Amino acid sequence: MRVNRILLSTALVVVALVVQVSVLARLHLPGAVPDLLLLTVLGLALVYGHVGGALVGFGAGLLADLAPPADHAAGRYALVLCVTGYAAGLMKPENGRLKSATGPMVTVVAAAIGSTLLYAGVGALVGDTAARHVGLTGLLFTAALYDLLLAPFVVPGIMALARRAENDPLAETGSAAKATDISSGWVAGGTGLKIGGQRNGLRVKAARARVARAGRIKGVKRL
C-alpha cells in the first residue's frame, strides 16, 4: 500500500475504534453494538479494492483484538475484518464512482450479517458460546439495523477522504481531458453545428466560386 493510504487508514481506524469503544459501546443498546470499525473498513475497501480492503481489515481487526476491553482470542476479529474487507473490495466500482446508494447499502447489510456469523462461527471453534446465550438471531437483526442506520453518515465521508488522499495527477488529467471533450461536444450539439459539415460546406462553396470565376473569365475572352 502507498504511504498516504497507510497514514489515512491508520488515522481513520484509530478514530473509529476510540469512538466505538468510548461512545457506542456505552450506549447499552439492545442486541449488538453499532460497528463503526466495520463501516470504516467497508468505506476504504470500496475505494482501495479487495487487496487494500483485506490489509486494512486485518490491521483494524488486530488493533481491536489487542485494545481493551477485548475479551476474546487475539486474531479472531482480525480474521473477520480481513475477509469482510476483501469481499467488500470486490464490490469496488470500475470507474471509482457509485451510481446509486443501493449497492453500498446492500454491502453494509451483507457485511454486518456475514461478519457476525463469521465471528460467532470462529468463536464456536475456539469454545466461545456467548453468541448462543445472547441469541444469534437478535444479534444479526440489530447488527444489520444499527450499521445500516449509521452507514449514510460514515461510508460516504470515508470514501471521499480516501479518494482525496489518492491525489492521482494522471486521473485528474484524464478527467480534465474528458471534461474538455464533453464540453466541446455539448457546444457543438447545442448550436447544431458540426465541424465536419462546416469543412465540407466551405470546400463546396470554394469550388463553386472557382467554377463561377472561370466561367466569367471565359465569357470575357469570347467577347
Side-chain angles (χ1 to χ4, degrees):
M1 295 180 68
R2 303 176 186 174
V3 177
N4 55 349
R5 288 187 177 186
I6 296 175
L7 294 177
L8 178 64
S9 302
T10 302
L12 292 176
V13 165
V14 170
V15 171
L17 182 60
V18 170
V19 173
Q20 181 169 330
V21 173
S22 60
V23 178
L24 298 179
R26 297 184 178 183
L27 295 178
H28 300 293
L29 297 174
V33 176
D35 201 338
L36 183 61
L37 195 61
L38 174 65
L39 297 179
T40 302
V41 172
L42 291 180
L44 294 174
L46 289 174
V47 177
Y48 295 156
H50 58 283
V51 177
L55 293 175
V56 172
F58 178 80
L62 186 60
L63 185 62
D65 289 331
L66 300 177
D71 56 353
H72 54 268
R76 180 176 171 184
Y77 202 47
L79 174 62
V80 172
L81 287 187
C82 180
V83 175
T84 304
Y86 181 87
L90 296 176
M91 303 299 295
K92 174 186 175 182
E94 296 180 358
N95 58 355
R97 299 292 180 181
L98 298 174
K99 297 181 180 179
S100 65
T102 304
M105 292 297 103
V106 173
T107 303
V108 169
V109 174
I113 296 176
S115 61
T116 303
L117 288 175
L118 184 58
Y119 186 84
V122 175
L125 293 177
V126 297
D128 185 2
T129 59
R132 297 180 182 178
H133 301 290
V134 176
L136 186 58
T137 303
L139 283 177
L140 293 175
F141 176 76
T142 53
L145 178 62
Y146 296 154
D147 291 347
L148 187 61
L149 293 177
L150 192 61
F153 305 98
V154 178
V155 176
I158 296 295
M159 295 180 67
L161 288 175
R163 288 199 185 101
R164 183 173 298 180
E166 288 294 285
N167 194 21
D168 190 353
L170 295 179
E172 293 178 359
T173 303
S175 301
K178 185 176 180 182
T180 302
D181 294 339
I182 293 174
S183 61
S184 301
W186 179 269
V187 172
T191 56
L193 299 178
K194 295 183 179 179
I195 296 176
Q198 287 181 340
R199 290 179 178 176
N200 293 333
L202 291 175
R203 290 175 181 176
V204 172
K205 290 180 179 179
R208 290 178 179 177
R210 287 195 296 268
V211 172
R213 185 180 303 173
R216 287 196 298 267
I217 293 174
K218 292 182 179 179
V220 172
K221 289 182 177 180
R222 288 178 182 179
L223 294 174

